């Protein structure tokens, strides 16, 4: 696969990377850094990609590994603006449902986040098992536990 | 769960342009690597200058050759540590599954943590041996040396704690997917 073909595939599936960044990082700057880190890692890891597996399966694996394994910045980045912002708590979210979902998902641990993200993408248990490396049955067990946890968090 | 799924799938994503994505493939534009590279270059330059001048400035000629060799080794360890850290940070993801990839990263992290703490301790010991050679310890000097030793021990403890936390976090994620 050459650079142009690779970039076309990334362009096509960049929504996946964006959602993973939102799930694993809290600030806009950290998400931007993670997005770039994931794209860079995908490119660096490309020689290890076998065309036998689907591109998205491989992409999920590399993106989730990067999101979990790369260290977060120790300190929040401070941005000085010329004027005080109008909203003290930040701008109103574009999509309140998505924002509420994210706040709930962020309360899960890193491993649980990976599993639920794959489930919410509508991947089959077989595909989730292939990406994560755990058995299909165990995927079911784990997801049931996470769903129960989420149901509690969602109603609170 | 269906509500969650539709909220997840309908989540808006900011579109990156092709030229932005192309730029992200370049190591030179990578934010973390760029920062690391600057740090490694700066530290290497600083320590190189130190190695050039220490012999005259810190009486290297009056100290045994073994101590001079220790000091040079200590400084080289700091430089090598920075370079190794840079190359470790740009390692590609390996493994056929998320669990395998995280386990491989965990192994790499543990190795680097041991290396990092060992290098830091060794380089500090080398420098301390050089600078404290032939010093006549008065009460004041003993107090200063004691204070510096306590500060160094606290720094080592923070370094170890930082690595333990990173390893524990990654280990927990790998275990969750086992």
């Amino acid at each position: 696969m050459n650079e142009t073909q690779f970039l076309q595939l990334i362009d096509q599936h960049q929504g996946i990377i964006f959602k993973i960044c939102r799930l694993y990082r809290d600030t806009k700057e950290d998400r931007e850094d993670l997005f770039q880190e994931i794209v860079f890692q995908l490119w660096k890891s490309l020689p290890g990609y076998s065309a036998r597996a689907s591109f998205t399966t491989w992409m999920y694996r590399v993106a989730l590994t990067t999101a979990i394994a790369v260290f977060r910045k120790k300190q929040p980045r401070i941005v000085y603006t010329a004027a005080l912002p109008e909203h003290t708590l930040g701008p109103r979210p574009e999509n309140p449902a998505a924002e509420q979902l994210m706040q709930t998902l962020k309360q899960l641990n890193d491993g649980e986040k990976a599993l639920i993200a794959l489930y919410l993408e509508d991947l089959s248990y077989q595909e989730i098992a292939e990406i994560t490396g755990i058995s299909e049955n165990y995927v079911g067990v784990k997801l049931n536990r996470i769903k129960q946890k989420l149901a509690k968090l969602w109603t609170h | 769960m269906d509500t969650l799924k539709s909220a997840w799938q309908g989540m808006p994503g900011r579109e990156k342009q092709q030229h932005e994505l192309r730029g992200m493939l370049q190591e030179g534009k990578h934010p973390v690597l760029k920062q690391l590279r600057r740090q490694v270059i700066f530290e290497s330059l600083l320590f190189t200058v130190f190695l050039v001048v220490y012999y005259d400035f810190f009486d290297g000629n009056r100290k045994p050759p073994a101590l001079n060799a220790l000091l040079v080794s200590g400084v080289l360890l700091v430089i090598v540590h920075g370079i190794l850290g840079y190359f470790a940070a740009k390692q590609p993801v390996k493994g056929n599954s998320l669990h395998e990839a995280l386990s491989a990263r965990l192994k790499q992290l543990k190795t680097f943590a041991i290396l990092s703490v060992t290098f830091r301790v060794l380089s500090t010991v080398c420098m301390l041996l050089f600078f404290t050679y032939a010093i006549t310890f008065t009460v004041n000097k003993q107090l200063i040396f004691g204070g510096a030793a306590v500060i160094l021990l606290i720094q080592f403890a923070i370094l170890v704690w930082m690595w333990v936390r990173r390893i524990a976090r990654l280990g927990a994620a790998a275990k969750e997917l086992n």
Side-chain angles (χ1 to χ4, degrees):
Chain A
M1 190 186 300
N2 62 30
E3 192 179 293
T4 309
Q5 289 169 320
F6 172 79
L7 284 171
Q8 274 169 357
L9 283 168
I10 295 292
D11 192 15
Q12 208 177 317
H13 300 293
Q14 59 172 301
I16 294 172
I17 306 176
F18 180 79
K19 281 186 256 187
I20 290 175
C21 293
R22 276 196 75 176
L23 183 58
Y24 282 93
R25 294 295 184 273
D26 297 326
T27 66
K28 187 173 171 276
E29 291 78 15
D30 281 352
R31 280 181 219 137
E32 287 289 325
D33 282 356
L34 181 60
F35 192 101
Q36 182 157 1
E37 180 72 48
I38 290 173
V39 174
F40 180 76
Q41 277 291 341
L42 284 163
W43 177 238
K44 281 273 166 190
S45 309
L46 192 63
Y49 165 63
S50 154
R52 280 177 299 167
S54 87
F55 184 79
T56 47
T57 303
W58 173 78
M59 189 171 162
Y60 276 120
R61 181 165 54 75
V62 175
L64 287 168
T65 306
T66 308
I68 295 171
V70 168
F71 310 131
R72 290 121 178 103
K73 283 198 175 67
K74 284 178 212 153
Q75 293 164 337
R77 198 177 296 178
I78 301 168
V79 181
Y80 295 98
T81 51
L84 285 171
E86 280 181 34
H87 302 280
T88 49
L89 297 173
R92 204 170 288 175
E94 286 170 29
N95 184 340
E99 197 56 41
Q100 195 193 350
L101 166 69
M102 270 301 163
Q103 292 313 317
T104 312
L105 295 180
K106 276 176 190 286
Q107 294 177 59
L108 300 173
N109 66 41
D110 284 352
E112 291 172 335
K113 281 180 191 169
L115 283 165
I116 202 70
L118 297 171
Y119 171 78
L120 294 175
E121 281 290 348
D122 233 359
L123 267 66
S124 68
Y125 281 13
Q126 191 192 344
E127 286 169 309
I128 297 176
E130 196 186 326
I131 292 167
T132 56
I134 56 181
S135 73
E136 234 176 290
N137 282 342
Y138 204 39
V139 167
V141 174
K142 289 259 183 196
L143 278 174
N144 277 334
R145 280 186 207 153
I146 299 168
K147 281 181 206 170
Q148 282 170 9
K149 198 171 170 179
L150 274 179
K152 278 185 194 167
L153 292 169
W154 188 254
T155 49
H156 278 96
Chain B
M1 271 300 141
D2 288 341
T3 321
L4 288 180
K5 267 191 185 179
S6 58
W8 176 266
Q9 286 165 18
M11 200 178 288
R14 200 177 82 79
E15 290 279 309
K16 299 267 184 206
Q17 301 301 314
Q18 277 275 333
H19 71 272
E20 285 180 275
L21 292 172
R22 195 177 293 278
M24 291 179 188
L25 308 184
Q26 293 167 23
E27 200 175 311
K29 290 187 179 173
H30 190 289
V32 178
L33 290 178
K34 199 156 87 178
Q35 197 184 331
L36 270 176
R37 205 167 40 244
R38 271 188 202 154
Q39 192 183 327
V40 170
I41 292 170
F42 178 73
E43 281 181 1
S44 302
L45 281 173
L46 206 71
F47 282 115
T48 307
V49 171
F50 172 77
L51 284 179
V52 171
V53 300
Y54 92 91
Y55 200 75
D56 295 326
F57 287 17
F58 300 107
D59 302 331
N61 51 342
R62 288 191 203 165
K63 292 178 182 179
L67 272 185
N68 280 281
L70 270 181
L71 181 73
V72 173
S73 311
V75 170
L76 287 178
L77 279 179
V78 178
I79 297 173
V80 169
H81 174 258
I83 295 169
L84 285 178
Y86 179 76
F87 283 101
K90 63 173 202 167
Q91 281 282 313
V93 173
K94 287 171 190 161
N96 293 319
S97 65
L98 186 54
H99 174 67
E100 269 185 31
L102 288 178
S103 301
R105 279 278 154 142
L106 187 61
K107 201 175 156 189
Q108 188 196 358
L109 196 65
K110 281 179 181 170
T111 311
F112 191 73
I114 293 169
L115 213 69
S116 178
V117 175
T118 312
F119 275 26
R120 180 73 68 92
V121 172
L122 282 178
S123 59
T124 308
V125 168
C126 289
M127 288 183 202
L128 277 179
L129 283 173
F130 180 87
F131 286 109
T132 56
Y133 176 77
I135 284 184
T136 315
F137 279 101
T138 59
V139 176
N140 272 350
K141 281 181 184 170
Q142 276 177 347
L143 282 174
I144 293 169
F145 187 75
V150 169
I151 292 170
L152 283 172
L153 282 175
I154 293 170
Q155 279 186 342
F156 292 143
I158 293 171
L159 184 70
V160 170
W161 173 77
M162 189 191 79
W163 281 115
V164 167
R165 223 172 57 136
R166 282 176 177 177
I167 289 168
R169 189 179 180 127
L170 191 55
K175 199 176 165 191
E176 182 68 35
L177 298 166
N178 192 2

